[in-house]
Amino acid sequence: MAAPQDVHVRICNQEIVKFDLEVKALIQDIRDCSGPLSALTELNTKVKEKFQQLRHRIQDLEQLAKEQDKESEKQLLLQEVENHKKQMLSNQTSWRKANLTCKIAIDNLEKAELLKGGDLLRQRKTTKESLAQTSSTITESLMGISRMMAQQVQQSEEAMQSLVTSSRTILDANEEFKSMSGTIQLGRKLITKYNRRELTDKLLIFLALALFLATVLYIVKKRLFPFL
């Protein structure tokens, strides 16, 4: 039957191996960690806890080694303790290197994010400038259209005023034409009346001339041919 000390030594060794493997797994997680810093801090907290547990178990094993009755077993266990301490130191070195690698990766990632953010800011600035330029162009176009419409309205008003003036001129000309038409009709009536009177005058003159000639002929007849 195994002595109680041997059982304690075996359990202590098993726990040391367990904690060592857990530390190595956490160190690998740190190497693979890409951030953020809070995740790295959480992993480092776990590693510290495992190192603390590992250190305690190594100290327990060292105490058990000192309590061994046989010098050979004592030296053997002390050698194992020394090996565990060396392994723990190696793990601590790996831990520091993993932290350095992880922090460099996180810094590079943050720089990339900052550069990306700067690109986004520049892109947003360019977009804002483009929108402002587009807005200015649209405003100028609208102002140009407004001026054009104002000119069209003014031209329409001028054309309307010209039409009103032309309409008034036509109305005045129509009134003058009506007046002239009345004058022409009156003149026509006067000419017709004059023509009629002229014909009457000619007829009266003709009759008077005929009467005069008849009178002359009668007088000549009486004087030249009294017997007739």
Side-chain angles (χ1 to χ4, degrees), residues 7-138:
V7 174
H8 288 296
V9 168
R10 186 169 60 253
I11 294 174
C12 192
N13 272 321
Q14 290 176 352
E15 290 183 351
I16 288 173
V17 172
K18 174 188 174 186
F19 292 141
D20 179 71
L21 292 175
E22 289 177 350
V23 166
K24 285 182 170 58
L26 288 170
I27 291 173
Q28 186 60 44
D29 290 339
I30 291 174
R31 290 194 188 97
D32 297 336
C33 179
S34 59
L37 282 174
S38 58
L40 178 60
T41 302
E42 184 179 355
L43 288 172
N44 281 324
T45 300
K46 292 180 180 180
V47 172
K48 289 178 182 179
E49 292 176 355
K50 295 300 177 183
F51 268 126
Q52 189 69 20
Q53 293 172 347
L54 179 61
R55 188 177 294 108
H56 287 160
R57 279 308 177 190
I58 292 175
Q59 289 174 354
D60 291 341
L61 182 63
E62 186 176 12
Q63 184 63 33
L64 289 172
K66 291 178 180 179
E67 293 175 356
Q68 294 295 318
D69 295 331
K70 294 181 179 180
E71 185 64 25
S72 59
E73 293 180 356
K74 178 180 178 180
Q75 293 299 323
L76 182 61
L77 289 178
L78 289 175
Q79 184 62 42
E80 289 183 6
V81 168
E82 189 64 24
N83 291 336
H84 289 316
K85 287 181 179 181
K86 290 181 180 179
Q87 184 62 44
M88 187 174 67
L89 290 174
S90 176
N91 287 336
Q92 288 176 342
T93 302
S94 299
W95 180 31
R96 286 192 293 269
K97 290 181 179 179
N99 267 281
L100 180 62
T101 301
C102 182
K103 287 180 180 179
I104 292 174
I106 292 174
D107 289 340
N108 292 333
L109 183 61
E110 289 179 350
K111 289 179 182 179
E113 290 293 333
L114 287 174
L115 291 174
K116 186 177 179 182
D119 292 338
L120 288 175
L121 289 175
R122 285 192 293 272
Q123 185 177 0
R124 289 177 181 174
K125 183 178 180 182
T126 303
T127 303
K128 288 182 179 179
E129 291 177 352
S130 178
L131 288 174
Q133 185 176 1
T134 303
S135 177
S136 177
T137 303
I138 293 173

Side-chain angles (χ1 to χ4, degrees), residues 153-168:
V153 170
Q154 184 177 359
Q155 291 177 0
S156 298
E157 290 179 353
E158 291 176 355
M160 183 64 69
Q161 188 66 32
S162 177
L163 288 174
V164 171
T165 303
S166 299
S167 178
R168 289 178 181 175

Side-chain angles (χ1 to χ4, degrees), residues 173-190:
N174 189 26
E175 292 295 330
E176 291 179 2
F177 178 75
K178 288 181 180 179
S179 178
M180 290 178 63
S181 178
T183 303
I184 292 171
Q185 289 179 0
L186 179 60
R188 183 179 297 172
K189 289 179 180 180
L190 290 174

